[in-house]
Amino acid sequence: MKPFQFISVKLTLCLITGILIQTAFNFSPFYCLYALITSLIILGILLKTSKKRALVFGIVAAFASILLGVTTANFATPKNNTLHYSNKTINNTHLWHLKIHEVLKSNTYNHKYVATLVTLDNQNATGKFLLETPINSAKTIFNVDDELVVYTKLSLVNSPLNPHQFNYALYLKDLGIYHKIEAKDNYKLLLLNNKTLIGTAAIIRNNIINKLNGAGFNPEELSIIKALLLGERNTVQTKTLDAYKNAGAIHILALSGLHIGILLLVLQFLLSPLEYLPKGKTIKLIIIVLFLWSFAFIAGLSSSLIRAVTMFTFVAYAMFLNRPTSSFNILALSLFFILLCKPNLLFSVGLQMSYAAVFSIVLFNPIFKKLWEPKYYLTNKIWQLLTVSLAAQLGVLPISLYYFHQFPSLFFITNLAIIPFLGVILSVGIVVVILALFNALPNFLVTLYNGIIFSM
């Protein structure tokens, strides 16, 4: 299968090209919009007047798609907003009114958050910051949607101290976060109740976590359960994370396309009897999509989950249509839609690795399968797992080496040992979460699931 034969793949590559061009040159918003409208008018004229000049039409369509990428990236660039704090004088100490957007994993010294700017010196302003509160002096641990005012100076995000370390400052810059704010004793928490959708999701997730905390799980197993099912990795011990990293299994603890894809397959199997009902396939599709988005909502609506559920919503619809449409077409459409809404996600390491892995599986796995076709069922399944793992790792290899300067060599063994059982682990885990939420979790299920996680 040739991926470049699909229009969706070509348009997505053109959109990505436009985003990269805008990132490199930062053109004026007016000229970008003017050029995009002009190209769309020309495209419409060509469509109406001449269908024979396919080459000319294709060139103009590609150019329009590139301009679409340039324009969307332009309007998504924080500094191009006149209200962005960088367009004001910010050298001195100012009063910053912040709203917590995301809770990050703490390190040895600081609690960390992503905060959005509400006002600057009591005037409307926009922007995002890395907010740090020292662990030994922090009076409060913030939650999503908490608001506070801080009287301080801005500071730059620290660059890596050692050579070849992951450049966290550069990574944040690509996501539109240019400075950090340190809140020690110079802040005041505001008692406001302005809840957002993400904040509501965080409240539900925290409620589930509190229920699980009192269910009787062992502390280390509980931290893995919260990471695996709720995307809450803040309580996972560093040595446990290092063990998963070294085994090439850290993706298991980061809710992403792997988990959503497995859930989709499980739901397809469990809901297959609905297809015998009138409009059963439509009902099945609606239930699957609602379940996937509900899972993403409960798990906190992180960027990685949103893009994963978006991608597999397209996959679920393709399975509903049951047409011989290519996986390249589905993946390209989902990526096009995600980048059109949030162009900055192109620079997210998670998005790059997710799509690189899936595209690589679709591209290389059929080639590997042709190399050997085992006769026996068990041998065939083991070979399939190996080829899928190898194809995925080939896709993420350049990204892993570029950002992290390392590559796990044990992924073959890890995937053979864990991936075949991940569907069962996730399915039982969702049942555990639902029962815990309604205070109906029996002790035998706690013991059973605790043992499963310990074995993993």
Side-chain angles (χ1 to χ4, degrees):
M1 185 66 69
K2 298 178 180 179
F4 295 107
Q5 69 182 2
F6 299 102
I7 294 176
S8 58
V9 174
K10 297 175 183 177
L11 292 179
T12 302
L13 289 175
C14 290
L15 184 75
I16 292 172
T17 302
I19 294 171
L20 294 175
I21 289 173
Q22 172 58 26
T23 303
F25 298 102
N26 195 21
F27 295 111
S28 165
F30 172 78
Y31 291 116
C32 292
L33 190 59
Y34 178 78
L36 175 62
I37 293 172
T38 303
S39 65
L40 291 176
I41 292 172
I42 295 173
L43 197 64
I45 294 171
L46 287 174
L47 186 63
K48 289 289 184 180
T49 58
S50 177
K51 295 183 179 178
K52 295 181 180 179
R53 298 178 181 177
L55 179 61
V56 176
F57 183 83
I59 293 173
V60 176
F63 188 65
S65 299
I66 292 173
L67 287 174
L68 180 62
V70 171
T71 306
T72 53
N74 195 305
F75 284 100
T77 301
K79 289 184 176 180
N80 289 342
N81 188 334
T82 54
L83 291 177
H84 194 262
Y85 72 89
S86 62
N87 297 318
K88 305 177 186 296
T89 303
I90 55 171
N91 295 328
N92 301 319
T93 303
H94 296 276
L95 187 66
W96 307 88
H97 178 182
L98 306 174
K99 189 182 184 78
I100 303 300
H101 177 73
E102 184 180 355
V103 179
L104 304 176
K105 183 175 176 59
S106 304
N107 60 19
T108 308
Y109 309 102
N110 297 300
H111 296 297
K112 294 187 176 185
Y113 311 88
V114 173
T116 57
L117 181 61
V118 181
T119 62
L120 170 57
D121 294 330
N122 296 318
Q123 295 183 346
N124 289 336
T126 63
K128 281 187 177 182
F129 299 98
L130 176 66
L131 176 67
E132 293 185 349
T133 59
I135 289 177
N136 57 1
S137 64
K139 295 178 289 187
T140 307
I141 295 177
F142 301 126
N143 297 310
V144 176
D145 281 349
D146 282 349
E147 296 188 40
L148 65 151
V149 289
V150 187
Y151 189 68
T152 187
K153 275 185 174 183
L154 293 181
S155 55
L156 295 173
V157 181
N158 297 330
S159 297
L161 299 177
N162 297 321
H164 310 301
Q165 271 188 312
F166 176 63
N167 195 329
Y168 189 54
L170 184 60
Y171 169 70
L172 289 179
K173 183 180 178 182
D174 287 336
L175 297 179
I177 301 174
Y178 309 106
H179 293 89
K180 71 176 179 179
I181 288 179
E182 296 179 351
K184 298 179 181 178
D185 297 321
N186 56 341
Y187 74 89
K188 179 182 178 181
L189 185 64
L190 302 177
L191 300 178
L192 301 175
N193 193 30
N194 301 323
K195 293 298 178 186
T196 62
L197 185 64
I198 294 178
T200 304
I203 291 173
I204 295 173
R205 183 174 62 167
N206 289 337
N207 186 30
I208 294 172
I209 288 173
N210 290 333
K211 298 285 187 181
L212 291 174
N213 286 339
F217 290 102
N218 294 334
E220 190 167 358
E221 281 69 36
L222 180 59
S223 68
I224 299 296
I225 292 170
K226 289 189 288 188
L228 187 66
L229 299 173
L230 300 171
E232 178 60 58
R233 294 171 56 183
N234 293 346
T235 57
V236 181
Q237 296 180 9
T238 303
K239 66 175 184 179
T240 304
L241 283 176
D242 288 341
Y244 273 80
K245 281 181 186 176
N246 295 333
I250 192 65
H251 57 283
I252 292 171
L253 298 185
L255 282 178
S256 60
L258 172 66
H259 304 75
I260 302 301
I262 289 174
L263 282 179
L264 174 61
L265 293 176
V266 170
L267 290 170
Q268 284 281 350
F269 172 74
L270 294 177
L271 298 176
S272 55
L274 289 177
E275 296 184 8
Y276 296 101
L277 299 176
K279 302 290 183 181
K281 289 188 68 176
T282 303
I283 296 171
K284 176 183 171 184
L285 174 66
I286 293 172
I287 293 174
I288 287 174
V289 173
L290 287 176
F291 186 92
L292 293 181
W293 281 104
S294 299
F295 179 77
F297 179 78
I298 291 173
L301 288 175
S302 66
S303 297
S304 61
L305 264 183
I306 290 174
R307 65 174 177 260
V309 174
T310 300
M311 179 172 70
F312 281 100
T313 297
F314 278 86
V315 174
Y317 183 65
M319 296 171 77
F320 163 75
L321 294 177
N322 197 25
R323 293 177 183 172
T325 181
S326 170
S327 301
F328 286 112
N329 197 29
I330 299 167
L331 292 171
L333 283 173
S334 65
L335 183 58
F336 185 90
F337 178 77
I338 290 171
L339 293 180
L340 196 60
C341 296
K342 285 193 172 183
N344 285 344
L345 283 180
L346 177 64
F347 305 103
S348 166
V349 180
L351 180 135
Q352 293 173 12
M353 296 190 80
S354 294
Y355 274 92
V358 178
F359 270 111
S360 185
I361 289 171
V362 174
L363 183 64
F364 293 115
N365 195 48
I367 299 174
F368 294 146
K369 287 174 69 175
K370 289 180 181 178
L371 295 177
W372 182 42
E373 296 183 5
K375 297 180 181 179
Y376 302 104
Y377 177 82
L378 181 60
T379 312
N380 186 45
K381 290 300 177 184
I382 293 175
W383 177 242
Q384 286 180 14
L385 280 171
L386 286 173
T387 56
V388 168
S389 299
L390 179 59
Q393 295 298 336
L394 282 175
V396 302
L397 174 61
I399 300 172
S400 180
L401 292 177
Y402 177 76
Y403 286 111
F404 308 109
H405 312 289
Q406 59 182 348
F407 185 74
S409 56
L410 296 175
F411 64 88
F412 282 118
I413 300 172
T414 304
N415 287 334
L416 280 176
I418 295 178
I419 299 300
F421 309 103
L422 196 55
V424 175
I425 294 171
L426 287 174
S427 302
V428 176
I430 291 171
V431 174
V432 166
V433 166
I434 294 172
L435 292 177
L437 194 57
F438 291 99
N439 297 316
L441 184 59
N443 290 329
F444 83 88
L445 193 54
V446 172
T447 304
L448 173 65
Y449 200 57
N450 199 84
I452 291 173
I453 299 299
F454 175 79
S455 300
M456 183 174 71

